[in-house]
């Protein structure tokens, strides 16, 4: 199972797509060449060490031995190398031992790692989220104690939100935290679906747990956030006594089978309050924003992996004569128009998703420097990255199977695994519907559509620049204009109707998210066309730049055209939805 | 894993959708009540005996013990009951012990059986195909020898086409058949992906094998069809000596894991020529038409199963307050608009697929009575049933997982299995691209678009009838008209361009198939609205008839609207496809 990190495309995106690329690295002293060197190093490590694990890991799966989760054999050694080489530290502050890469580059690192194996990638991904939460909400003492070992990869982190009765609805969390005399809390309850909730890859696991103090208000505003280490950390900073948290089972899953998904029982485990009581959900949202963005990148990652395998197979597999009569012999299937169509859909969706993710990371970088407008734009784009890129990864991995024909259905071929692995992505860290509610409720309705209109305005600026360009640039502009109009019509309808008929509006929330995601991707591909055209004029890297432009036109004419149907669903489909729902 | 056969909807379709329902049963003396009784009996058997096997069968999988394929334990007993109760015989002629049900009813039986377990259903499905081929092309002696035991379910049948180098491209088949002095042939070679190629459920397996005689021309016109029984059949009609065909391995598959997918080695096995030499592919096409139609019905079947599970879960799972503020407590998720949207997409696609399948079966029934026009229409519709219903089953089973949230990803829940099982359907019996080539090349271009235009004319008749009807009927007519226009525009473009630029035309073949399938489904749902409206006027079964109408309007406004994007891909997307393909 080979994998090559797509460094050329990644660097093109990092260089050209962040709204203010110079802002991202300002002060950090990190140059593009440093980023490229780091990503190339990570890419080699992932090709050589991680990618070969993905099949064996899937076959063996994680299993429970007593209360210990046992991962497939080679994972421990691979993880040790990963930590030793410092790959966990890429995105984190230098103050705690990190490399301080800008988020746009960190997103690329997340993609590369997860493309090589989603199951492996989940452990660092959750650690990144926990680090992010502690950085923003932990006390200085907590930061001193936990961050360096986590950023070094010696310890990992988890998010403990879900309980059997509380999935999307965190207000139903029942887990309890009783204050003790020494200022700690005794945490008790059951948490489920805890990714890497138990494993032996690291010396310690830092669980971040949502629970209720005794006098907390009911519902989501009575949740507090606690650090509950697997091993309590002594004054010297080393893991000591085992805490009262036990893994009671691991799930038997459709995919990401090598990653342990734990049911954890907390039985008076010692926990340390993070920040203030009853503000846990608010803090968790910080961690969730990072994790949601990262899961969207996982969608791009598994898509890239599926692309590489499908392309390789299509070049090798010989079957049937070309339909244009250009050969009397059977040809590699890559010469058949429908195989080309499938491969191009896969590539356009993958490169498009990457462009959106890196551009969004660019807004997050800007926001970090205090731009409130940039934060609004980033908040608007994150649910698109999460939901659009993961929903589309289902299509890309499915096409990957289809390109392989019957061989795709055989597990040994390996591409069925991508199809299985990807299926969790539109579910965990908030389902697509949850992202759509977030987009519509918090990011669109709350400010009366101001950010959404700003987004449309930015798209329109790109259209206008494209209209001054070459024929392909104009072709992209044409479809971009149609799709933006579909977005604006849908937005107007939602703003007009949400208050009086919330069911109608929220019945259109996923179509609206998919429309907006599609438009946002095409916008970034349009910006890619502008950048590639400029470099073409300098005569740089002609083949690559021409391909970027051709892929963008394909995207505009084959994928962006789906926005029209979404608009009809939103603006003319709400009555038929609610009528038909009466008969469910 | 419960399952209830949707008898009410099935009977509505059988009664109202075949183009000439009276023609189907003419002469057979079979009344609707007989059909309903037979399907109800099958439904009970499938609910009680087969559906409970699907999870255990999936977990255990088929495995090879020496050269014998061992199926999960309960399959043998279940199959024995299936045969004893005569369910294999439903669609076959009374002359050979069948019940002679019309195809429209037989399609429903195939759906019910496969909804209860795709892995189980594949054995009878392949036997049906082999019976069909022998009925049409076997000699009288062959029919006498093989048909009764197959129709009774005592023996099963297989199709042996694929070889490692010959998948979609059957012209590359290398398997050899040497004539012997006694008129038999010695068949040698390797066949792969042979569904139920080895198993112990039946006393004998009748392999239908494509092979080449020594002096056969190269390519597809040099293939002959042979009967190669697992056990040679004596004069007394009982299985005797073991033939030289050996199962050398079973595939480890993504889904339908309880069904054995065999690699078969033929080593001078005794074969009996069917019909004339070198006409094998032509005969196989007869069997393939039946099998392709049946696989399309499998798509409907697994969709129905996914619908039932998702609906049940959505009624039971309580999570989050309704967005319209109608309750202060968390509600069953079926009250959330996006869950309703997902369930309605699932239902509309499933009921729509069923309507198309049963209507197509009606055309096949008409064709059987000699109508050449009916045969053309049936031939036009079969690739739509195969490809559209199976592609859509991927969406429906994926939505089924999504409705379950995190639970959907856990194998014990059972719905992940439907997602895995369904994935083979757009691949086997000819991939979606092969169906699209068949539609465009053989069913559209060959007669200069005559059948396609007749199809559009029939759709338009339904539109006109709907325009005379109620408001919902008119709403369906509006979208039907838009979609028909998209179809006619695409058809015109393909007819204009296929000769000069076959790559451009065939690059649009799958979009054209998906457009046409979508329109064909909506056409049948439009006819359902007419039938349901008439019965509503009589005051019959109001709740059911109102639901049929509401589902059709939902389909028209949420799914049929996708035709516009397909038209743009076909008529304005070919240059961007071929340009981008230069960079693959």
């Amino acid at each position: 199972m080979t994998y090559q990190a797509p460094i050329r495309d990644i660097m093109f995106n990092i260089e050209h797509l962040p709204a203010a690329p110079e802002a991202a690295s300002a002060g950090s002293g990190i140059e593009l060449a440093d980023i490229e060197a780091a990503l190339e190093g990570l890419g080699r490590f992932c090709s050589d060490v991680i990618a070969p694990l993905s099949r064996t890991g899937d076959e063996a799966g994680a299993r429970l031995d007593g209360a210990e989760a046992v991962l497939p054999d080679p994972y421990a050694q691979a993880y040790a190398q990963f930590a030793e080489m410092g790959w966990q530290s890429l995105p984190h502050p230098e103050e705690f031992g990190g490399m301080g890469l800008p988020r746009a580059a960190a997103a690329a690192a997340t993609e590369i790692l997860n493309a090589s194996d989603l199951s492996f990638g989940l452990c660092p991904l959750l650690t990144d989220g926990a680090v992010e939460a502690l950085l923003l909400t932990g006390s200085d003492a907590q930061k001193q104690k936990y961050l360096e070992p986590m950023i070094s990869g010696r310890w990992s982190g988890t998010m403990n939100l879900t309980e059997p009765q509380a999935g999307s609805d965190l207000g139903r969390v029942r887990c309890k935290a009783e204050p003790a005399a020494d200022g700690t809390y005794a945490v008790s309850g059951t948490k489920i679906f805890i990714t890497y909730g138990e494993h032996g890859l690291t010396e310690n696991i830092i669980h971040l747990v949502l629970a209720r103090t005794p006098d907390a208000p009911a519902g989501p505003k009575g949740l507090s956030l606690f650090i509950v280490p697997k091993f309590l950390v002594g004054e010297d900073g080393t893991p000591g006594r085992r805490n009262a948290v036990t893994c009671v089972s691991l799930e038997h899953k459709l995919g990401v089978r090598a990653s342990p998904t734990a049911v954890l029982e907390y039985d008076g485990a010692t926990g340390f309050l993070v920040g203030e009581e009853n503000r846990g959900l608010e803090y968790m949202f910080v961690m969730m924003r990072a994790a949601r963005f990262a899961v969207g990148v996982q969608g791009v990652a598994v898509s890239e992996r599926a692309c590489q395998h499908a392309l390789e197979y299509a070049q090798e597999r010989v079957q049937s004569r070309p339909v244009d009569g250009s050969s009397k012999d059977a040809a590699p299937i890559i010469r058949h128009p429908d195989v080309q169509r499938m491969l191009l859909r896969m590539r356009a969706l993958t490169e498009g998703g990457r462009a959106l993710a890196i551009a969004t990371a660019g807004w997050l970088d800007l926001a970090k420097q205090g731009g409130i407008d940039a934060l609004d734009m980033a908040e608007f784009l994150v649910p698109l990255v999460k939901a659009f890129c993961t929903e589309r990864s289902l299509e890309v991995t499915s096409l990957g199977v289809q390109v392989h024909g019957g061989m795709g259905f055989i597990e040994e071929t390996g591409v069925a695994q991508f199809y299985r692995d990807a299926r969790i992505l539109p579910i965990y860290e908030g389902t697509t519907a949850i992202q759509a509610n977030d987009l519509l409720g918090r990011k669109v309705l709350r400010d009366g559509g101001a950010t959404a209109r700003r987004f449309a305005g930015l798209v329109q600026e790109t259209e206008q620049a494209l209209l001054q360009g070459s024929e392909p640039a104009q072709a992209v502009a044409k479809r971009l204009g149609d799709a933006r109009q579909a977005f604006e019509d849908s937005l107007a309808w939602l703003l007009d109707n949400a208050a009086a008929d919330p069911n109608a509006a929220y019945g259109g929330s996923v179509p609206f998210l998919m429309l907006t995601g599609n438009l946002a991707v095409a916008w970034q591909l349009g910006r890619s066309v502008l950048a590639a055209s400029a470099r073409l004029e300098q005569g740089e890297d002609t083949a690559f730049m021409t391909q970027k432009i051709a892929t963008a036109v394909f995207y505009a004419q084959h994928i962006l055209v789906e926005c029209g149907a979404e608009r009809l669903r939103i603006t003319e489909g709400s009555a038929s939805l609610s009528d038909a729902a009466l008969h469910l």
Side-chain angles (χ1 to χ4, degrees), chain A:
Chain A
M1 299 294 285
T2 57
Y3 164 71
Q4 293 297 322
I7 300 290
R8 184 74 196 84
D9 194 52
I10 284 172
M11 290 309 300
F12 175 86
N13 281 290
I14 292 176
E15 187 172 359
H16 295 292
L17 295 188
E22 67 294 352
S25 58
S28 74
I30 296 175
E31 307 284 339
L32 279 177
D34 302 329
I35 292 173
E36 184 163 2
L39 296 177
E40 276 181 345
L42 177 63
R44 274 191 303 275
F45 170 73
C46 288
S47 298
D48 295 347
V49 178
I50 309 297
L53 299 185
S54 58
R55 271 292 296 148
T56 49
D58 178 68
E59 280 176 342
R63 62 186 177 76
L64 199 62
D65 183 5
E68 300 202 342
V70 180
L71 266 60
D73 266 345
Y75 273 68
Q77 202 187 335
Y79 185 85
Q81 274 185 271
F82 170 84
E84 194 184 302
M85 294 173 82
W87 298 123
Q88 183 77 53
S89 75
L90 291 185
H92 301 298
E94 292 171 275
E95 182 186 354
F96 299 101
M99 279 184 57
L101 283 193
R103 284 177 194 268
T110 301
E111 182 199 318
I112 292 170
L113 183 62
N114 281 278
S116 67
D117 185 21
L118 282 184
S119 282
F120 185 93
L122 276 166
C123 183
L125 188 153
L126 271 294
T127 304
D128 283 344
V131 166
E132 191 97 16
L134 290 177
L135 274 169
L136 276 152
T137 59
S139 67
D140 284 345
Q142 287 169 341
K143 290 182 194 175
Q144 287 308 324
K145 193 173 235 170
Y146 297 107
L147 285 179
E148 188 279 330
M150 293 174 82
I151 288 173
S152 73
R154 294 201 312 282
W155 301 355
S156 66
T158 71
M159 291 170 72
N160 285 239
L161 289 71
T162 307
E163 301 178 9
Q165 78 294 344
S168 302
D169 188 358
L170 290 172
R172 291 162 71 84
V173 157
R174 287 186 199 143
C175 202
K176 286 196 159 46
E178 296 272 350
D182 62 357
T184 68
Y185 290 75
V187 176
S188 299
T190 303
K191 293 287 182 180
I192 65 169
F193 293 156
I194 308 307
T195 301
Y196 276 89
E198 217 307 287
H199 64 89
L201 299 184
T202 54
E203 294 165 21
N204 204 356
I205 303 175
I206 308 306
H207 302 295
L208 293 184
V209 183
L210 280 186
R212 286 181 192 287
T213 50
D215 49 356
K221 290 181 178 165
L223 297 172
S224 304
L225 183 63
F226 299 88
I227 295 170
V228 185
K230 177 178 173 184
F231 295 101
L232 291 163
V233 181
E235 289 302 311
D236 63 349
T238 62
R241 181 169 64 79
R242 186 75 162 80
N243 208 345
V245 46
T246 312
C247 176
V248 295
S249 74
L250 295 182
E251 304 296 352
H252 175 214
K253 307 190 299 294
L254 172 62
V256 291
R257 289 165 37 85
S259 87
T261 303
V263 177
L264 295 183
E265 282 284 350
Y266 290 86
D267 185 16
T270 303
F272 307 92
L273 181 68
V274 179
E276 297 170 30
E277 280 191 14
N278 299 332
R279 292 184 63 187
L281 200 57
E282 180 190 323
Y283 302 154
M284 205 50 116
F285 264 109
V286 170
M287 184 168 176
M288 279 199 281
R289 189 180 67 205
R292 286 173 173 186
F293 176 80
V295 171
V297 173
Q298 287 190 306
V300 178
V302 71
S303 297
E304 173 66 33
R305 189 77 187 271
C307 281
Q308 292 192 14
H309 281 263
L311 188 62
E312 190 180 325
Y313 185 79
Q315 284 162 338
E316 286 169 5
R317 171 70 171 170
V318 172
Q319 203 77 175
S320 300
R321 291 182 208 171
V323 72
D324 62 6
S326 58
S327 163
K328 282 189 293 183
D329 298 318
I333 61 172
I334 199 168
R335 289 184 56 186
H336 301 318
D338 190 65
V339 173
Q340 295 174 345
R341 183 190 65 83
M342 291 193 280
L343 292 171
L344 289 172
R345 274 190 88 81
M346 295 174 74
R347 173 186 281 179
L349 286 165
T350 303
E351 293 192 4
R354 176 179 301 131
L356 177 62
I358 289 179
T360 301
W363 288 103
L364 286 165
D365 278 320
L366 262 184
K368 218 170 167 180
Q369 296 171 29
I372 182 76
D373 281 1
L375 184 63
D376 285 347
M377 190 53 60
E379 296 268 21
F380 180 83
L381 295 174
V382 165
L384 308 181
V385 174
K386 163 62 169 84
F388 187 81
C389 295
T390 63
E391 289 284 346
R392 292 302 196 158
S393 78
L394 304 185
E395 179 180 348
V396 173
T397 55
S398 182
L399 286 169
V401 172
Q402 192 72 19
V403 168
H404 284 78
M407 290 305 296
F409 201 63
I410 307 301
E411 288 285 3
E412 283 79 359
T413 307
V415 297
Q417 183 185 341
F418 308 144
Y419 182 67
R420 290 188 286 102
D421 283 356
R423 193 64 194 79
I424 191 59
L425 304 179
I427 295 175
Y428 66 14
E429 295 301 335
T431 63
T432 298
I434 295 289
Q435 306 303 320
N437 285 356
D438 178 55
L439 176 71
L440 180 57
R442 291 194 197 88
K443 315 296 170 63
V444 170
L445 299 177
R446 190 174 285 175
D447 72 2
T451 304
R453 277 189 289 263
R454 208 176 121 227
F455 163 76
L458 292 171
V459 174
Q460 196 168 11
E461 283 176 23
T462 299
E463 278 166 53
Q464 283 160 350
L466 287 165
L467 284 171
Q468 311 305 314
S470 62
E471 198 182 316
Q474 292 177 30
V476 172
K478 177 168 187 284
R479 294 282 186 240
L480 208 46
D482 294 344
R484 179 180 48 78
Q485 192 57 56
F487 171 79
E488 292 183 10
D489 293 349
S490 302
L491 177 65
W493 192 92
L494 291 166
L495 289 166
D496 284 351
N497 289 277
D501 193 350
N503 285 328
Y506 282 89
S509 61
V510 168
F512 181 66
L513 182 146
M514 295 305 286
L515 190 174
T516 312
N518 203 338
L519 177 61
V521 164
W523 169 36
Q524 297 311 320
L525 293 180
R527 296 181 65 225
S528 304
V529 169
L530 296 174
S533 301
R535 296 192 51 177
L536 261 187
E537 277 180 28
Q538 319 285 321
E540 284 177 51
D541 211 348
T542 314
F544 177 82
M545 299 302 161
T546 315
Q547 179 260 309
K548 287 305 289 180
I549 295 169
T551 303
V553 183
F554 178 88
Y555 188 98
Q557 298 193 341
H558 288 259
I559 298 168
L560 188 57
V561 292
E562 293 163 27
C563 291
E566 304 291 9
R567 174 184 48 195
L568 289 172
R569 289 182 184 119
I570 297 162
T571 63
E572 300 186 26
S574 67
S576 64
L577 196 163
S578 56
D579 284 353
L582 295 174
H583 301 277
L584 277 173

